[in-house]
Amino acid sequence: MSDIKASLTSAMKDAMRARDSVRLGVIRMALAAFKQVEVDERIEVSDERALVIMDKLVKQRQDAATQYADAGRQELADTELAEIEVLREFLPAPLSEADIDALIEQAISDTGAAGMQDMGKVMGQLKPKLQGRADMGAVSGRIKARLSA
């Protein structure tokens, strides 16, 4: 069992004891997403895969919160934002801008990237290091800016 899944299971039990229905619902939703992948692919979810799943759940909630806010439904947007905070407790600490830039520079030098045609190589090397710790869309934009300069 992955560390993330184990910590979610433990937190679920704590939320049950504390009768925290909001936190319990979010944790159960995350565990259900893990279970879905395990059943569909007949695998045990690793920590790397757990980070991908958790990242996806956070991104879904961010998109929903944005749509609710645009539609004038702030109470629903606040609910989605509260769910994001619960999910982020189980993700590794986000990297600073300087750390991300340093990793990008190292990946570019390691892969010998010279232009935009090497974007895939750089992203391939960075994704495992940054998954769950940085917004990959923003990282992609930084790499594009760096490679096109």
Side-chain angles (χ1 to χ4, degrees):
M1 180 183 291
S2 73
D3 292 338
I4 294 173
K5 188 175 176 184
S7 65
L8 276 167
T9 304
S10 174
M12 180 179 70
K13 292 173 186 174
D14 293 340
M16 285 176 163
R17 286 186 201 103
R19 301 187 190 280
D20 186 349
S21 61
V22 174
R23 183 174 173 78
L24 179 62
V26 174
I27 293 169
R28 281 184 170 161
M29 177 258 321
L31 287 171
F34 289 168
K35 188 68 170 175
Q36 182 70 43
V37 170
E38 289 176 344
V39 169
D40 288 350
E41 300 178 15
R42 296 185 175 130
I43 61 168
E44 182 73 26
V45 173
S46 65
D47 273 337
E48 295 80 27
R49 188 66 188 269
L51 283 175
V52 171
I53 294 168
M54 294 290 285
D55 231 10
K56 181 179 175 185
L57 293 173
V58 168
K59 189 172 288 190
Q60 287 172 344
R61 263 121 211 97
Q62 287 172 335
D63 291 344
T66 302
Q67 290 175 2
Y68 285 138
D70 291 345
R73 300 292 308 267
Q74 192 58 43
E75 70 282 357
L76 294 174
D78 291 341
T79 302
E80 295 291 333
L81 294 173
E83 289 180 4
I84 289 171
E85 292 307 311
V86 172
L87 291 171
R88 284 205 172 132
E89 292 175 26
F90 301 98
L91 290 172
L95 291 172
S96 69
E97 303 294 321
D99 291 339
I100 293 170
D101 289 337
L103 286 171
I104 289 172
E105 289 301 321
Q106 181 174 353
I108 289 172
S109 67
D110 289 350
T111 59
M116 287 302 295
Q117 68 275 11
D118 298 323
M119 175 88 175
K121 292 179 192 175
V122 176
M123 283 298 287
Q125 187 172 4
L126 283 175
K127 192 162 186 167
K129 297 176 185 176
L130 297 177
Q131 190 69 49
R133 301 182 77 191
D135 177 18
M136 293 308 290
V139 170
S140 175
R142 288 179 171 192
I143 294 170
K144 285 179 186 174
R146 173 66 177 79
L147 290 176
S148 62

